[in-house]
Amino acid sequence: MSVHTEIKRITTSTLKSFKEKGIKISCLTAYDYSMASIVDTAGIDLILVGDSASNVMAGHETTLPITLDQIIYHAQGVVRAVKRAFVVVDLPFGSYQGNSEEALRSAIRIMKETGGHAVKMEGGKEIEESIVRILSAGIPVMGHLGLTPQSIYKFGTYTVRAKEEEEADLLKSNARLLADLGCFGVVLEKIPNKLASEVTASIDIPTIGIGAGAGCDGQILVIHDMLGINKDFSPRFLRRYADLHSVMSEAFTNYIADVKSGDFPSEKESY
Ligand code: KIV
């Protein structure tokens, strides 16, 4: 007799119920099959195929260069690996800001070609029409407010956003708008703890924080950052859960030495 263990998939309803029950939502980025498989098996709730792939996978300074085709490629690998987590795919810069028709076309390509479960878009009121159109096609949308890296050249820096009342008020009204439109969640990036907590209490959809304090309904980190693969990036909000840079460097150094000395491969490692 075989024992059939069914894995219960995370959905937008699961995420909403987590908020209602006060269960924190764990999220990480992933950009490829192998990493996504490890993260999913560990039990993460949500995986974001973020446009941060532009930085950590391709080595660009900003998230702006990544294309729709490239994010689709990354998302396809992630979706193939994932059995339980809810997979959200970033709409890259330039794939939705033009008009709502272009936005819908981009979102449909992501859903059709990757098998992902939702898209994420940066902004509030200014992209309302596009959000409405994508939602009306039955595609779940996650918002992203605060520090929105696709607008880095407007901000000029990656420092904390919405410290002043005017920007904080705008963020609050945009968060309410996203919730009212029907977004299933919103990322709050690099904003004061107090503001993030107020926003979280004021809307009925989950808030996912990165550099936004403990008051959010969930947390997200870029996987390369939390694994310590990139030694040089250490903002205050980042907690490193491993030092993979050292672990990998040591493995590579040892391998090189073994190849050079003839120690690898041994008799046992040969046919
Ligand atoms: O692209 C990304 O990794 C993100 C997270 C920082 C939320 O948008």
Side-chain angles (χ1 to χ4, degrees):
M1 197 177 77
S2 74
V3 180
H4 183 66
T5 45
E6 199 181 305
I7 297 172
K8 202 150 189 278
R9 287 210 86 117
I10 302 281
T11 65
T12 53
S13 308
T14 323
L15 299 172
K16 192 159 197 290
S17 78
F18 280 179
K19 177 172 177 121
E20 285 159 7
K21 293 176 191 155
I23 300 169
K24 295 280 186 183
I25 301 167
S26 61
C27 315
L28 279 173
T29 67
Y31 319 99
D32 68 283
Y33 176 88
S34 303
M35 204 72 106
S37 175
I38 300 171
V39 173
D40 187 52
T41 308
I44 205 84
D45 297 317
L46 183 153
I47 293 179
L48 171 68
V49 185
D51 58 3
S52 48
S54 179
N55 309 104
V56 296
M57 299 299 285
H60 292 295
E61 217 173 281
T62 72
T63 59
L64 274 64
I66 196 164
T67 65
L68 187 57
D69 285 337
Q70 288 167 341
I71 205 103
I72 285 173
Y73 171 78
H74 286 295
Q76 285 169 337
V78 168
V79 170
R80 268 179 226 125
V82 169
K83 295 187 173 64
R84 176 183 175 272
F86 190 72
V87 180
V88 181
V89 184
D90 256 338
L91 275 171
F93 176 70
S95 72
Y96 65 99
Q97 290 90 349
N99 57 59
S100 62
E101 198 181 318
E102 183 190 32
L104 177 60
R105 209 175 314 118
S106 301
I108 287 177
R109 273 202 66 197
I110 286 182
M111 302 302 283
K112 258 190 184 312
E113 296 178 38
T114 74
H117 309 137
V119 296
K120 176 165 81 59
M121 305 162 74
E122 296 184 4
K125 183 86 189 136
E126 68 280 16
I127 55 162
E128 179 177 356
E129 201 183 311
S130 297
I131 294 174
V132 169
R133 199 141 180 197
I134 294 173
L135 286 169
S136 69
I139 301 171
V141 174
M142 182 171 217
H144 186 154
L145 299 171
L147 177 65
T148 46
Q150 292 180 7
S151 306
I152 187 58
Y153 292 116
K154 184 174 93 182
F155 300 142
T157 81
Y158 285 100
T159 52
V160 179
R161 303 302 314 172
K163 278 163 74 176
E164 306 304 329
E165 201 177 325
E166 197 182 335
E167 196 180 337
D169 286 346
L170 180 63
L171 190 143
K172 284 185 205 167
S173 75
N174 272 328
R176 270 193 301 273
L177 174 71
L178 294 177
D180 290 346
L181 291 178
C183 290
F184 73 88
V186 58
V187 168
L188 299 177
E189 179 163 355
K190 252 190 159 177
I191 61 170
N193 189 352
K194 186 168 167 286
L195 173 61
S197 300
E198 280 170 22
V199 170
T200 302
S202 73
I203 57 178
D204 62 357
I205 59 169
T207 59
I208 306 298
I210 173 163
C216 295
D217 297 306
Q219 299 292 326
I220 186 162
L221 287 173
V222 168
I223 197 159
H224 288 62
D225 299 340
M226 63 89 76
L227 289 176
I229 291 176
N230 176 3
K231 282 198 302 160
D232 303 324
F233 184 66
S234 41
R236 173 183 168 144
F237 69 78
L238 175 62
R239 185 180 294 182
R240 285 215 176 88
Y241 286 83
D243 179 10
L244 281 203
H245 191 279
S246 302
V247 171
M248 290 166 83
S249 290
E250 195 183 326
F252 300 146
T253 312
N254 290 342
Y255 170 71
I256 293 164
D258 287 353
V259 170
K260 297 281 184 192
S261 69
D263 181 71
F264 176 81
S266 67
E267 219 22 69
K268 273 169 108 178
E269 289 155 334
S270 307
Y271 298 98

